[in-house]
Amino acid sequence: VRQKFGGHFFQLQIVMRDYEKYLEDMRYNLSKITGYAKTLQSVYAIDPLSRFPEHESRVHQFIETVSGIQKYMLPEHIKSVEKHVIAPVRHLWQLHDNPQVLMLKHRKLKPQYLRYSKEKDKEKLNEKLKTEAEQWIALNELLKTELPQLYALTGQIVQACQQNFVEIQSRWDRMLVEK
């Protein structure tokens, strides 16, 4: 169960990194489109003798549209992704902190438990060793019951976040096509 935890936590980190990379790519790509539009506009402005007003007008409209998307719609899109996708995954990530501490303690107490298991038949038993062994047993039972619940919760939340992301992304795509 403990090994499975490490895999889940690693996958959660990958999911988080992918969402953050998506937002970074959105900003980058939109800035490149804006740069392309401005370059196109400057090409038309180079030669004042051979003007194409209808093309210049379309380029100007394109620049206005892209600027509006970058200035108003992209921040809203980013805010939506952060609120409905990234924030729940971050919160879920924080929920993994306590089990990690418990598993570390569990790992540290295991040698004492094994020593206690070998020596428990002896009459004179070290009280500290007995206490640490009992702590290990309690932690072991706790982790056996709670880690599977955390795995199930992780799966449900990640799936819900992915559904939110797909919905947000489809709204974004429809808006881009419309504009």
Side-chain angles (χ1 to χ4, degrees), residues 122-170:
K122 294 181 181 178
E123 271 188 40
K124 188 162 182 166
L125 197 58
N126 184 346
E127 277 302 312
K128 182 180 178 191
L129 183 65
K130 182 180 178 184
T131 304
E132 288 175 338
E134 289 171 352
Q135 286 178 348
W136 184 88
I137 292 169
L139 278 173
N140 196 48
E141 290 303 313
L142 180 70
L143 291 171
K144 277 182 180 177
T145 56
E146 291 192 1
L147 282 180
Q149 293 172 356
L150 181 62
Y151 299 153
L153 176 67
T154 299
Q156 293 169 358
I157 290 176
V158 168
Q159 187 175 10
C161 288
Q162 287 175 336
Q163 288 173 343
N164 289 346
F165 180 73
V166 167
E167 184 179 314
I168 292 166
Q169 181 62 35
S170 65

Side-chain angles (χ1 to χ4, degrees), residues 21-33:
K21 176 78 170 114
Y22 165 78
L23 292 180
E24 182 183 311
D25 289 347
M26 289 296 295
R27 289 182 188 103
Y28 175 79
N29 291 334
L30 210 49
S31 72
K32 288 297 178 184
I33 290 173

